[in-house]
């Protein structure tokens, strides 16, 4: 008994150390820094007394619009990514045949190019004299160039594009695990293709949908590069504010406080989402 | 004070791939932007935008691709013996600079003259450099620091005082640079290049000849205006327009500047880190911009013009510093001295397009640069320029308001 | 209503064909399944029986041919519009729904009232003896219970025809026997047509009113279990249904109700009552239980003469007992004839006990020796219809 328990402990050790070194410890450091003060040249000072003053600053209403922006982009990105990924993943799983592996590699292919370069490519497409406006004007759909770059549209587009593989892969895995005969059974039991999807395939792939949503929403809420490159003056996100607090303002304690709150909100949101969904799935 | 920082590896790949001219500042954004531009622009043109000139088709004259012997990682060799104050340089020297911010043969000439082997590395962003030197063990001897940061870097022990006896070429400096406000008597830094921050606009889009900062607040250009994503510069634009000092620490003055910027924000397309790209692409018609960047944008879009607003503008400069913990201080200071040599300094200016503080170099500088008011504004214009100063703890007043500006609805 | 439909077959397949890329899975199958019968599609794996069933259910679209249910052509109708339900091979229960909801699934899609659903699901669960397990999750049921849920789920919709795709295939022997009995009971109780796919001939013989034996996408023989057992049309059917001895030979002489056949080994044996003309090659099928063993004088000596005579009823094979196996109901012997032919014999009379090596004579009634039709090699008959398909 004792030995079994010891062995279990030994097996858990690498995982727990990993979590500690790469999650708990940095989080603790962020939290401690967030209690400190900024010194004149950008250092974090902890010996002048610790306080929650930075958290009070973080809760100022002036940050609400960026939080709202972040939530807006992350939500829109997640919905779009799931909406686009599901049919793709479904098609690969059901009709990919022997080419499934190849198709999945194609999904991952954009990752072989630097993410920044791919995002810049969207700039070329979206700007006033860009490809998209060129097409719109050439086909007579618009006369003057539309302002596409530096807008909410561009940010959501760029994020959706960037996070698509993160939603396709978990969806593919969960769709591929659904026994086709279960869908056939639904058809046999008087379901149209749409009803079979709604009552069987979708509930059975819900874990994949949740995984894909989390894998899209969480990075999207922390993304500052896309809003920075494709966004404009009106698209500041909370992550961008944090990033500029760390890098250009060198106000680490305040940045740490905002960052800690963001992580906290993400963790609480994720855990409660999973709780609710698990309760629902198990019934 | 750049904001984004893709990896050096990405940058190196981009440079190799695109052979794009990289300017002194914000080189990453620029490189990536122009690089992608260069690749995709022909396709864009083919897709029905043929009417617009392809902005990336001709490389900027100021910046032909430069062979980079040591781009990428460099590991300093084992430390040599503790230097003693004698003019015999150490065998090696480690220099850390922006890419394309030096003459073509300057390093080779220095190596030949002093028999020192120079390892010359680029940093992708200013933040990368400051992060790397922050712990005092970067292994680099000399780097290039914006003048406003010099006092802070010294107070934080990042740079060490210069031995002016090793830098006789200091005598070449113009009088105003021999005793600058940020560093009296050049005790910790030697000026390298200077520039101005003003307004660039596309004369094909903007009617008349604008002369004021107010053009950046003109609702007629809504959606095509951009400010720099740099809070000191952007607040300076508002403060100067209001008639205040660009270095004010007065809360009322700063609040007034914030209000002015908040009023401007809905008109803006973006706070840009890439003023060249914003202008060259045609998305932005009036842009808060650095002079040398405006000049690069002109190379791609010839209708771009640059002016120093009549209310006044900003002048900034970069300095060369001897880093704390430098293992090769003699060679480092001989290098700084070498950079102040009249002909070397002129070669650097001729290559980069930036004016140096070097009075003696003027005779060797390309007349087209000397006569370009963008790069070398006249006495009257210079008299109206302000230099950004280190504000110590009061800097937070700027940043707090900047965060509010960016975060606000 | 029921009576009126008697004239029209419950299901009629006309030239039903399914081609999967290179494989011709079902090849011009014509079948009529009668109302209320227990009909089996029997054959080895890959013979096309499951594909045929799926085309009846609408889960597979035929390449050509038609499916009619009670005279209506449903070939183009999707599965949800056909009055049939399927019990799937691995049950295909909905893992996210409990037993009640699994069974109620089809009723909910047909918008039955709540009370109606509760009543009918209850009835269906009672029919398959699962009352009380309503809230169980399928993954917490045994294989047999899952099978019953699948059955209830299909039956609750009161289909005209129930299609069963190897429903007992995943169960162990004992459970299978038990459920066979129950299936038969249920079919009698609900009185609807069952179309049952299996590769297990014993199961098919036990359960079915009629059986279609399939091979290589075609129906080899259609008939009642007795017909298939007693009068297999060809070597394939004879071999597939039960155990049989197949002897190749040539008719030597034919008299009124007797004939003599010379086997490939040179031995003579009794031929069928109605044999082809002398000189014709024949394949004889003789069931092991139709052969009588007689002790030969000489005890354990090796049989050496070919025995029998070509001119009379005395013709019989001789051989030695090579192996014996006690089966409870009888003893199975394998006899090696003098010429070397192996023959399986089933003796049900306990009196006849032989030891290994005993010399015996094998005898059978002429009527027990069936003449098989020349065997089509798989694909040979199909070749006519396969113009562009590759040979399997």
């Amino acid at each position: 008994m004792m030995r079994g328990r010891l062995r279990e402990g030994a097996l858990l050790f690498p995982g727990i150390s990993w979590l500690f070194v790469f999650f708990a410890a940095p989080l603790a450091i962020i939290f401690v820094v967030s209690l400190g003060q900024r010194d004149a040249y950008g250092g974090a000072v902890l010996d002048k007394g610790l306080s929650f003053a930075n958290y009070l600053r973080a809760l100022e209403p002036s940050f609400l619009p960026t939080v709202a922006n972040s939530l807006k982009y992350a939500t829109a990105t997640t919905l779009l990514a799931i909406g686009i990924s599901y049919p793709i993943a479904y098609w690969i799983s059901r009709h990919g045949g022997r080419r499934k592996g190849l198709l999945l590699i194609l999904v991952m292919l954009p990752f072989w190019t630097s993410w920044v370069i791919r995002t810049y490519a969207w700039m070329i497409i979206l700007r006033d004299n860009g490809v998209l406006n060129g097409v719109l004007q050439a086909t007579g759909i618009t006369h003057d160039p539309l302002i596409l770059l530096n807008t909410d549209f561009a940010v959501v587009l760029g994020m959706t594009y960037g996070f698509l593989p993160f939603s396709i892969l978990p969806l593919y895995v969960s769709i591929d695990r659904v026994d086709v005969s279960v869908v056939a059974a639904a058809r046999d039991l008087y379901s149209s293709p749409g009803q079979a999807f709604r009552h069987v395939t979708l509930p059975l792939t819900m874990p994949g949908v949740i995984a894909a949503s989390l894998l899209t929403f969480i990075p999207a809420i922390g993304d500052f590069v896309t809003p920075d490159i494709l966004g404009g003056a009106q698209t500041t996100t909370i992550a961008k504010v944090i990033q500029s607090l760390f890098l250009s303002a060198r106000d680490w304690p305040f940045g740490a406080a905002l960052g800690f709150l963001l992580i906290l909100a993400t963790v609480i949101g994720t855990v409660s989402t999973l709780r609710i969904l698990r309760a629902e799935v198990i019934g | 004070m750049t904001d984004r920082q893709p990896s050096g590896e990405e940058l190196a790949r981009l440079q190799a791939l695109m052979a794009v001219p990289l300017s002194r500042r914000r080189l990453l954004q620029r490189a990536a932007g122009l690089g992608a531009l260069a690749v995709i622009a022909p396709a864009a043109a083919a897709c029905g935008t043929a009417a617009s000139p392809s902005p990336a088709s001709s490389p900027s004259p100021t910046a032909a691709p430069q062979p980079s012997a040591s781009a990428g990682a460099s590991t300093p060799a084992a430390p040599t013996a503790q230097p003693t104050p004698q003019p015999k340089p150490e065998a090696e020297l480690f220099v850390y600079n922006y890419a394309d911010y030096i003459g073509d043969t300057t390093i080779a000439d220095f190596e030949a003259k002093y028999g020192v082997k120079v390892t010359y590395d680029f940093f992708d962003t200013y933040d990368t450099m400051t992060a790397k030197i922050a712990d005092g063990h970067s292994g680099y001897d000399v780097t290039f620091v914006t003048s406003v940061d010099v006092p802070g870097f010294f107070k934080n022990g990042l740079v060490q005082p210069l031995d002016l006896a090793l830098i006789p070429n200091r005598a070449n400096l113009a009088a105003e640079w021999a005793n600058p406000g940020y560093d009296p008597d050049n005790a910790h830094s030697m000026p390298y290049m200077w520039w101005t921050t003003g307004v660039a606009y596309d004369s094909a889009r903007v009617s008349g000849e604008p002369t004021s900062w107010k053009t950046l607040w003109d609702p007629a250009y809504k959606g095509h205006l951009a400010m720099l994503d740099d809070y000191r510069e952007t607040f300076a634009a508002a403060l100067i327009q209001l008639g205040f000092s660009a270095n004010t620490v007065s809360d009322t003055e700063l609040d007034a500047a914030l209000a002015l910027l908040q009023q401007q924000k809905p008109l803006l397309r973006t706070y840009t880190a890439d003023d060249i790209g914003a202008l060259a692409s045609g998305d932005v018609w009036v842009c808060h911009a650095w002079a040398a960047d405006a000049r690069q944008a002109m190379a791609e879009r010839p209708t771009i013009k640059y002016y120093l607003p009549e209310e006044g503008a900003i002048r900034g400069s970069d300095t060369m510093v001897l880093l704390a913990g430098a293992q090769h201080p003699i060679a480092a200071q001989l290098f700084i001295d070498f950079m102040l040599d009249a002909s070397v300094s002129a070669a650097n200016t001729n290559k980069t397009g930036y004016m140096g503080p070097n009075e003696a170099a003027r005779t060797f500088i390309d007349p087209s640069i000397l006569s370009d008011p963008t790069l070398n504004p006249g006495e009257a214009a210079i008299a109206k320029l302000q230099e950004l100063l280190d504000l110590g703890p009061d800097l937070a007043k700027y940043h707090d308001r900047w965060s509010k500006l960016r975060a606000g609805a | 209503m029921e009576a009126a439909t008697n004239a029209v077959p419950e299901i009629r397949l006309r030239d039903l064909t399914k081609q999967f890329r290179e494989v011709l899975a079902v090849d011009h199958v014509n079948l009529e399944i009668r109302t209320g019968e227990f009909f089996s599609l029997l054959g080895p794996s890959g013979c096309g029986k499951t594909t045929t069933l799926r085309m009846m259910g609408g889960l597979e679209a035929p390449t050509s041919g038609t499916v009619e249910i009670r005279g209506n052509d449903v070939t183009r109708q999707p599965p949800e519009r056909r009055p049939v339900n399927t019990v799937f091979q691995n049950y295909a229960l909905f893992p996210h729904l409990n037993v009640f909801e699994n069974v109620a699934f089809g009723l909910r899609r047909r918008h039955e009232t709540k009370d109606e659903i509760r009543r009918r699901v209850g009835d269906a669960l009672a029919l398959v003896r699962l009352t009380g397990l309503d809230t169980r999750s399928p993954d917490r049921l045994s294989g047999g219970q899952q099978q019953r849920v699948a059955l209830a789920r299909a039956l609750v919709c009161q289909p005209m025809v129930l299609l069963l795709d190897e429903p007992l295939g995943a169960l162990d022997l004992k459970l299978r026997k038990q459920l066979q009995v129950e299936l038969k009971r249920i079919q009698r109780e609900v009185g609807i047509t069952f179309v049952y796919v299996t590769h297990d001939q014993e199961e098919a013989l036990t359960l079915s009113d009629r059986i279609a034996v399939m091979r290589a996408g075609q129906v080899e023989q259609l008939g009642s279990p007795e017909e298939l057992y007693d009068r297999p049309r060809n070597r394939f059917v004879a071999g597939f249904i039960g155990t049989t001895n197949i002897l190749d030979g040539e008719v030597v002489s034919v008299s009124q109700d007797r004939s003599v056949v010379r086997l490939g080994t040179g031995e003579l044996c009794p031929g069928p009552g109605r044999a082809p003309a002398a000189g014709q090659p024949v394949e004889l099928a003789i069931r092991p239980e139709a052969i009588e063993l007689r002790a030969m004088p000489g005890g354990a000596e090796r049989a050496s003469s070919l025995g029998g005579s070509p001119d009379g009823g005395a013709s019989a094979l001789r051989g030695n007992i090579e192996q014996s196996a006690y089966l409870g109901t009888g003893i199975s012997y394998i006899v090696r004839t003098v010429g070397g032919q192996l023959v399986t014999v089933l003796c049900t009379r306990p009196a006849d006990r032989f030891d290994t090596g005993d010399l015996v004579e094998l005898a059978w009634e002429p009527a027990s020796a069936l003449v098989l039709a020349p065997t089509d090699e798989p694909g040979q008959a199909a070749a006519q219809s396969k113009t562009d398909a590759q040979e399997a």
Side-chain angles (χ1 to χ4, degrees):
Chain A
M1 240 8 199
M2 271 313 283
R3 189 174 298 173
R5 212 166 271 178
L6 271 178
R7 195 181 308 146
E8 240 170 57
L11 285 173
L12 279 175
F13 183 74
I16 288 177
S17 351
W18 172 275
L19 272 181
F20 180 79
V21 173
F22 293 105
F23 186 70
L27 208 58
I29 292 170
I30 290 178
F31 182 68
V32 170
V33 169
S34 73
L35 301 176
Q37 293 171 32
R38 176 194 193 275
D39 79 2
Y41 295 101
V45 182
L46 300 176
D47 49 15
K48 285 188 193 161
L50 303 178
S51 77
F52 284 95
N54 289 316
Y55 287 89
L56 289 178
R57 281 171 75 196
L59 295 173
E60 269 178 38
S62 57
F63 291 106
L64 281 179
T66 58
V67 174
N69 260 353
S70 293
L71 285 173
K72 183 174 74 182
Y73 296 143
T75 307
T77 298
T78 305
L79 292 178
L80 271 173
I82 300 283
I84 295 168
S85 304
Y86 203 106
I88 295 173
Y90 190 91
W91 193 88
I92 293 176
S93 167
R94 294 289 185 250
H95 304 286
R98 265 173 294 170
R99 290 185 301 271
K100 274 183 190 178
L102 177 72
L103 290 167
L104 288 175
I105 289 173
L106 286 178
V107 167
M108 303 298 295
L109 203 59
F111 274 77
W112 297 1
T113 312
S114 155
W115 192 76
V116 174
I117 291 180
R118 285 184 285 132
T119 309
Y120 270 98
W122 278 113
M123 267 176 80
I124 312 302
I125 293 169
L126 295 176
R127 62 189 195 204
D128 292 4
N129 299 317
V131 178
L132 190 52
N133 268 314
V135 171
L136 287 175
Q137 286 168 282
T139 53
I141 294 170
T142 56
H143 183 255
D144 291 319
L146 299 175
I147 295 184
L148 301 169
L149 189 61
N150 313 113
T151 61
D152 290 352
F153 165 77
V155 173
V156 172
L157 180 74
M159 282 190 180
T160 305
Y161 165 79
F163 298 131
L164 216 49
F166 294 120
S167 56
I168 290 179
L169 292 181
L171 281 172
Y172 167 78
V173 170
S174 76
I175 292 168
D176 207 46
R177 278 173 49 191
V178 173
D179 183 357
V180 284
S181 72
V182 174
V183 181
R187 295 295 309 280
D188 186 68
L189 294 163
Y190 312 110
S191 302
S192 64
Q195 287 173 321
F197 176 77
R198 197 152 59 91
H199 295 291
V200 175
T201 310
L202 188 59
L204 287 178
T205 52
M206 225 35 211
V209 174
I210 294 162
S213 303
L214 291 178
L215 283 175
T216 311
F217 191 87
I218 293 174
I221 200 122
D223 188 10
F224 59 86
V225 181
T226 312
D228 209 25
I229 298 179
L230 297 178
Q234 333 296 338
T235 67
T236 311
T237 59
I238 189 69
K240 166 72 187 168
V241 170
I242 294 171
Q243 181 242 13
S244 97
L245 280 169
F246 271 94
L247 289 176
S248 45
R250 311 245 164 86
D251 191 348
W252 284 36
F254 186 33
L258 274 178
F260 191 79
L261 285 179
L262 182 62
I263 293 169
L264 204 66
T266 308
V267 169
I268 291 173
T270 306
V271 169
S272 50
T273 307
L274 287 178
R275 277 261 169 94
I276 292 167
L277 288 165
R278 187 190 299 166
E280 225 156 71
V281 167
I282 292 177
Chain B
M1 274 161 225
T2 46
D3 292 296
R4 203 180 312 112
Q5 53 309 127
S7 71
E9 188 195 329
E10 267 172 11
L11 190 75
R13 206 183 316 146
L14 271 167
Q15 278 180 267
L17 201 65
M18 318 294 188
V20 159
L22 296 180
S23 80
R24 189 195 62 86
R25 296 193 122 221
R26 302 184 184 268
L27 110 107
L28 154 77
Q29 294 89 335
R30 202 152 300 165
L34 294 177
L37 200 77
V39 170
I40 301 172
C47 282
T49 53
S52 68
S54 179
S57 52
S58 58
S60 155
T62 58
Q66 191 173 315
S68 55
S70 56
S74 135
T75 323
T80 53
Q82 193 59 31
T84 47
Q86 59 179 35
K88 174 83 179 96
E90 300 84 355
E92 282 186 296
L93 178 65
F94 291 86
V95 179
Y96 199 27
N97 196 2
Y98 298 92
D100 285 319
Y101 197 33
I102 197 166
D104 284 332
T105 62
T106 306
I107 295 296
D109 293 347
F110 175 75
E111 286 181 320
K113 181 171 178 186
Y114 290 101
V116 172
K117 190 190 168 301
V118 178
T119 301
Y120 187 78
D121 288 345
F122 306 141
F123 44 80
D124 45 14
T125 69
Y126 192 71
D127 288 326
T128 307
M129 183 274 285
T130 53
K132 207 161 209 170
I133 66 166
D135 66 353
H137 300 98
S138 64
Y140 293 109
D141 300 302
V142 175
T143 194
F144 294 72
V145 169
T146 306
S147 59
V148 65
D149 284 334
V150 170
F153 278 29
F154 178 64
K155 276 177 212 159
N156 274 359
L158 300 179
V159 303
Q160 49 178 310
L162 295 172
D163 179 357
L164 297 182
L166 289 172
I167 311 174
N169 279 330
R170 179 181 172 231
N172 289 336
L173 291 177
E176 53 173 329
W177 294 103
N179 188 19
Y182 59 84
D183 186 20
D185 293 327
N186 308 115
H188 312 102
S189 66
M190 279 296 156
Y192 179 53
M193 296 286 182
W194 62 267
W195 68 89
T196 63
T197 317
V199 180
Y201 67 100
D202 186 345
S203 56
R205 297 288 192 174
V206 175
S207 49
E209 291 232 345
T211 55
S212 163
W213 286 109
K214 292 196 168 58
T215 316
L216 282 165
W217 271 256
D218 188 339
Y221 308 121
K222 182 178 182 201
H224 298 283
L225 299 167
M227 295 297 283
L228 285 170
D229 185 8
D230 179 316
Y231 63 100
R232 286 301 303 273
E233 291 282 11
T234 290
F235 268 90
L239 288 166
I240 292 171
Q241 195 185 158
L242 291 167
F244 304 136
S245 159
N247 295 300
T248 185
V249 294
S250 146
D251 282 322
T252 38
E253 290 179 11
L254 284 168
D255 284 342
L258 174 61
L260 190 59
L261 291 170
Q262 280 169 333
Q263 181 195 323
Q264 176 199 35
K265 188 179 172 188
L267 305 174
L268 289 182
R269 176 105 176 212
T270 179
Y271 294 97
T272 186
D274 178 20
D275 49 352
I276 298 180
L279 286 162
S281 71
D283 289 349
V284 170
W285 302 343
V286 186
C287 191
H288 185 201
W290 283 291
D293 286 357
R295 183 181 150 94
Q296 283 206 34
M298 276 172 220
E300 293 168 22
R301 187 174 280 268
T303 48
I304 300 287
K305 289 185 173 167
Y306 175 85
Y307 65 92
L308 290 169
E310 59 201 1
E311 298 94 335
I314 293 297
R315 173 152 88 151
S317 61
D318 276 334
T319 68
M320 301 175 278
V321 296
L322 174 63
L323 286 167
Q327 299 293 336
H328 316 97
I330 307 288
Q333 290 173 94
L334 289 179
F335 177 75
I336 291 170
D337 182 61
F338 183 75
M339 295 287 268
L340 292 179
D341 177 87
S343 58
V344 171
S345 174
N348 290 339
T349 292
N350 290 339
K351 167 70 185 167
T352 63
Y354 282 95
M355 287 299 293
N358 200 316
E359 191 62 39
R362 282 181 168 264
T363 45
F364 304 107
I365 291 175
D366 184 341
S368 75
I369 292 176
L370 283 178
S371 62
D372 184 341
T374 308
L375 301 174
N376 187 26
E379 293 287 330
I382 289 179
K384 284 189 175 175
L385 299 179
Q386 299 186 40
E387 194 141 346
L388 295 174
L389 302 178
D390 178 36
L391 301 175
D394 288 323
L395 193 62
K397 293 182 176 183
Y398 282 76
H399 193 270
D400 288 349
R401 286 176 175 84
W402 173 248
S403 291
K404 268 185 195 142
L405 173 66
R406 296 300 305 273
Chain C
M1 287 283 271
E2 302 294 319
T5 57
N6 273 347
V8 183
E10 188 87 334
I11 292 186
R12 174 183 278 149
L13 308 182
R14 289 188 210 261
D15 286 330
L16 196 65
T17 300
K18 179 68 183 181
Q19 177 106 35
F20 292 111
R21 292 176 187 271
E22 310 90 49
V23 183
L24 187 62
V26 176
D27 183 7
H28 292 81
V29 164
N30 287 285
L31 275 182
E32 289 185 7
I33 297 169
R34 297 171 192 150
T35 302
E37 74 174 333
F38 197 120
F39 188 93
S40 289
L41 292 167
L42 173 67
S45 64
C47 72
K49 56 190 189 299
T50 293
T51 306
T52 305
L53 190 83
R54 288 171 64 85
M55 288 193 285
M56 293 182 201
L59 300 171
E60 209 77 71
T63 309
S64 65
T66 58
V67 177
E68 285 170 27
I69 298 178
R70 295 202 182 166
N72 298 319
D73 186 344
V74 297
T75 315
R76 300 273 162 259
Q77 271 182 19
E80 65 268 24
R81 308 253 308 270
R82 298 192 187 192
V84 300
N85 288 110
T86 306
V87 176
F88 289 84
Q89 192 162 7
N90 294 308
Y91 322 132
L93 298 183
F94 304 121
H96 60 301
L97 301 177
N98 64 22
V99 168
F100 184 93
E101 287 303 325
N102 261 281
V103 176
F105 191 91
L107 300 176
R108 292 207 189 282
R109 297 293 85 71
R110 294 209 296 198
H111 305 291
E112 302 288 355
T113 64
K114 260 188 178 176
D115 291 341
E116 176 76 358
I117 289 173
R118 189 165 308 143
R119 187 181 63 75
R120 282 169 64 179
V121 171
D123 289 351
L125 288 175
L127 182 70
V128 299
R129 301 189 173 148
L130 280 181
T131 306
L133 292 182
D134 305 42
T135 57
R136 254 327 150 77
S137 160
D139 57 9
R140 293 180 53 234
L141 296 175
S142 71
Q145 286 172 325
Q146 292 187 29
Q147 209 286 320
R148 289 157 192 263
V149 175
L151 199 58
R153 183 178 70 174
L155 283 172
V156 78
C157 301
Q158 298 173 339
M160 289 183 190
V161 181
L162 186 69
L163 307 173
L164 303 101
D165 185 7
E166 307 225 18
L168 308 181
L171 303 175
D172 63 53
L173 183 66
K174 199 176 163 198
L175 199 52
R176 207 152 69 214
K177 296 274 183 208
Q178 202 180 314
L179 279 165
Q180 282 174 11
V181 175
E182 227 168 306
L183 266 180
K184 195 69 188 167
R185 169 184 69 79
I186 288 167
Q187 199 242 344
R188 268 198 308 273
E189 272 180 42
V190 298
I192 61 172
T193 311
F194 275 34
V195 180
Y196 192 93
V197 160
T198 182
H199 65 270
D200 181 338
Q201 47 99 10
E202 202 189 321
E203 198 167 278
L205 293 176
T206 311
L207 294 171
S208 313
D209 296 320
R210 289 197 306 150
I211 299 170
V213 180
M214 290 188 71
R215 182 175 60 145
Q218 293 180 318
V219 175
E220 291 282 321
Q221 189 171 357
L222 172 67
S224 67
E226 296 76 19
E227 285 171 329
L228 293 177
Y229 192 86
D230 294 339
R231 292 191 294 283
R233 197 173 65 83
N234 60 24
R235 188 179 193 133
F236 174 79
V237 177
F240 199 77
I241 308 259
T243 314
T244 199
N245 294 294
I246 293 176
L247 306 174
D248 293 312
E250 187 188 304
V251 179
V252 177
S253 69
V254 183
S255 63
Q256 248 188 339
D257 57 349
R258 285 174 188 274
S259 63
V260 175
V261 169
R262 187 190 303 279
L263 299 182
T265 58
E267 296 158 286
L268 296 175
C269 71
R274 301 180 63 185
Q280 292 290 315
V282 284
E283 275 181 59
L284 295 184
I286 307 163
R287 295 287 175 190
E289 64 273 20
I291 303 176
E292 194 183 336
L293 287 184
R294 294 186 205 130
M296 291 279 291
E301 279 173 38
R302 224 160 215 302
S304 52
S305 78
L306 293 177
S309 60
D311 54 19
S315 69
L317 288 171
R318 286 177 191 172
N320 294 92
I321 303 288
E322 180 139 321
Q323 250 182 52
S324 66
Y326 182 69
L327 301 176
T329 52
I331 303 171
S332 160
Y333 296 101
I334 294 173
V335 178
R336 183 181 292 276
T337 67
V338 174
Q341 175 81 45
L342 291 178
V343 179
T344 304
V345 180
L346 182 68
C347 285
T348 49
R349 284 188 309 190
D352 301 336
R353 295 296 300 264
F354 301 94
D355 294 322
T356 308
D358 283 358
L359 184 62
V360 292
E361 196 176 61
L362 298 88
W364 54 81
E365 290 297 311
S368 303
L370 298 173
V371 177
L372 299 175
T375 305
D376 302 325
E377 281 312 306
Q380 202 174 321
Q384 307 150 339
S385 54
K386 269 194 249 177
T387 47
D388 53 353
Q390 282 184 347
E391 293 294 316

